[in-house]
């Protein structure tokens, strides 16, 4: 089974509007971390935001926030006030376990959502 | 700090040729990873290392070998390249410390096998 599911292959949003990119995850480990990365057309992977499974508050980083709904196993990325430079591929990823676990930091990635911001 | 660097940035191989991709990091990170990215597939883990001299298989290890002789370097080898190994390869590193979570990615290597 897929550990990370991103159901939106592509999303379009007008500049200055907010957009939500969906991500659901599958794990039986009580300790895990959820990540969002941005990949612009130049190809590099840019870390955006992180949410730990025990974090009480939703993570925020500037215009990015992570809508974490643990019971639903969802970790949606919300981008407020979209900018043209936000056009990119966005990946949701998960790490299971802790440093003492066997997974040792490996990330499981979703297939990505291509976001296009139009003027 | 250069962060994570990858050499080369682009390479074209013929089927059956061999090559080594080099990943170097100057952040003294213990953990290092090799991923491949294929269209529509996201990134998948090939091999990883938790320290100098240790390596382990990831999700898609077949056809690849790795070595971590020095802490700062993680090498990915293709002994006999196949067209199915055409992909973009990313290296990443992470510090081993309580509360650490961010993996730092290199710029990627685009490999084409004809």
């Amino acid at each position: 089974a897929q550990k990370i599911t991103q159901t939106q292959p592509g999303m379009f949003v007008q500049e200055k509007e907010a957009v939500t990119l969906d991500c659901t995850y599958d794990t039986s480990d009580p300790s895990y971390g959820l990540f969002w990365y941005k990949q612009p057309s130049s190809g590099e992977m840019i870390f955006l935001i992180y949410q730990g499974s025990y974090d009480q508050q939703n993570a925020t980083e500037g215009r990015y926030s992570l809508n974490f709904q643990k019971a639903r196993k969802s970790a949606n990325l919300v981008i407020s006030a979209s900018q043209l430079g936000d056009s990119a591929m966005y990946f949701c990823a998960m790490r299971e376990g802790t440093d003492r676990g066997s997974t040792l930091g490996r990330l499981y990635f979703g297939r990505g959502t291509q976001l296009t911001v139009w003027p | 700090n250069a962060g994570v660097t990858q050499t080369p940035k682009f390479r074209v191989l013929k089927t059956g040729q061999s090559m080594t991709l080099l990943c170097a990091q100057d952040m003294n990170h213990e953990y290092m990873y090799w991923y491949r990215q294929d269209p529509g597939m996201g990134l998948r883990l090939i091999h990883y290392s938790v320290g100098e001299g240790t390596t382990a298989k990831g999700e898609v290890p077949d056809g690849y070998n790795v070595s971590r002789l020095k802490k700062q370097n993680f090498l990915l080898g293709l002994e006999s390249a196949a067209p199915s190994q055409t992909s973009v390869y990313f290296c990443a590193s992470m510090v081993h410390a309580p509360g650490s979570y961010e993996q730092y990615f290199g710029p990627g290597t685009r490999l084409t096998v004809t």
Side-chain angles (χ1 to χ4, degrees), chain A residues 69-117:
Chain A
Q69 298 191 36
K70 199 168 183 177
R72 297 178 60 186
K73 293 191 174 179
S74 76
N76 298 341
L77 177 71
V78 180
I79 306 175
S80 63
S82 298
Q83 301 172 356
L84 296 177
D86 293 334
S87 293
M89 182 71 86
Y90 288 80
F91 290 98
C92 180
M94 177 177 66
R95 183 180 84 185
E96 293 175 311
T98 66
D99 285 345
R100 289 169 293 175
S102 61
T103 52
L104 297 170
R106 58 177 292 179
L107 291 175
Y108 298 91
F109 283 83
R111 295 182 178 224
T113 296
Q114 180 68 48
L115 175 67
T116 303
V117 181

Side-chain angles (χ1 to χ4, degrees), chain A residues 19-31:
Chain A
V19 64
T20 298
L21 307 184
D22 294 342
C23 172
T24 57
Y25 59 92
D26 181 27
T27 183
S28 57
D29 198 317
S31 176

Side-chain angles (χ1 to χ4, degrees), chain B residues 3-37:
Chain B
V4 180
T5 58
Q6 292 183 232
T7 309
K9 289 187 168 47
F10 303 93
R11 185 73 186 268
V12 178
L13 284 181
K14 292 189 167 139
T15 297
Q17 287 185 319
S18 64
M19 78 162 293
T20 300
L21 281 68
L22 169 65
C23 175
Q25 51 94 6
D26 59 2
M27 297 173 282
N28 203 34
H29 287 173
E30 290 81 9
Y31 294 177
M32 296 186 75
Y33 310 84
W34 275 108
Y35 295 90
R36 61 177 285 173
Q37 182 180 23

